[in-house]
Amino acid sequence: MRLDKFLKVSRLIKRRTLAKEVAVQGRITINDKVAKASSTVKVGDELAIRFGQKIVTARVEEIRETSRKDDAANMFTILKEERLEQIEPEFIDDEE
């Protein structure tokens, strides 16, 4: 199944167009490789998705063409959620 469709059906991302945009920005990896929206997702793959200052890592448990809201959560398992540290801008010292 295509990555963008899996993200929508599993409800990890609400809309397929948004899933495609996130992939185009290089914010999704499948098994530690940057993924395109058209990348194929298989059972057992690990997805890492960067949402703002958070990275969510999930394992694909099952593939379905459609799912009800109650069943969508069974399609993946959240392995971890990491918060990215905000990097403070360095101030340039103009005194020389």
Side-chain angles (χ1 to χ4, degrees), residues 49-60:
I49 308 164
R50 185 166 55 85
F51 296 103
Q53 295 299 314
K54 183 170 72 169
I55 296 178
V56 175
T57 304
R59 182 177 49 241
V60 178

Side-chain angles (χ1 to χ4, degrees), residues 27-92:
R27 295 173 24 199
I28 303 175
T29 62
I30 299 175
N31 300 325
D32 297 322
K33 294 181 183 147
V34 176
K36 296 181 181 180
S38 61
S39 298
T40 302
V41 176
K42 302 178 297 294
V43 172
D45 284 348
E46 281 191 20
L47 308 177
I49 308 164
R50 185 166 55 85
F51 296 103
Q53 295 299 314
K54 183 170 72 169
I55 296 178
V56 175
T57 304
R59 182 177 49 241
V60 178
E61 298 295 343
E62 60 184 87
I63 303 286
R64 295 184 184 179
E65 289 299 315
T66 60
S67 70
R68 297 167 67 208
K69 188 174 184 179
D70 300 339
D71 300 331
N74 297 330
M75 293 180 66
F76 62 90
T77 301
I78 299 291
L79 301 175
K80 62 183 171 180
E81 291 186 34
E82 302 174 87
R83 197 126 180 84
L84 295 174
E85 296 298 319
Q86 194 138 20
I87 300 171
E88 295 293 324
E90 292 185 29
F91 293 100
I92 299 172

Side-chain angles (χ1 to χ4, degrees), residues 1-23 28 37 39 41 47 49 51 60 62-73 75-76:
M1 175 180 281
R2 285 175 54 108
L3 174 62
D4 56 349
K5 184 170 182 180
F6 176 81
L7 293 171
K8 178 201 176 284
V9 173
S10 68
R11 291 175 169 77
L12 278 166
I13 296 181
K14 290 190 194 277
R15 292 188 321 272
R16 191 168 176 175
T17 53
L18 182 58
K20 185 175 180 180
E21 288 174 22
V22 172
I28 303 175
S39 298
V41 176
L47 308 177
I49 308 164
F51 296 103
V60 178
E62 60 184 87
I63 303 286
R64 295 184 184 179
E65 289 299 315
T66 60
S67 70
R68 297 167 67 208
K69 188 174 184 179
D70 300 339
D71 300 331
M75 293 180 66
F76 62 90

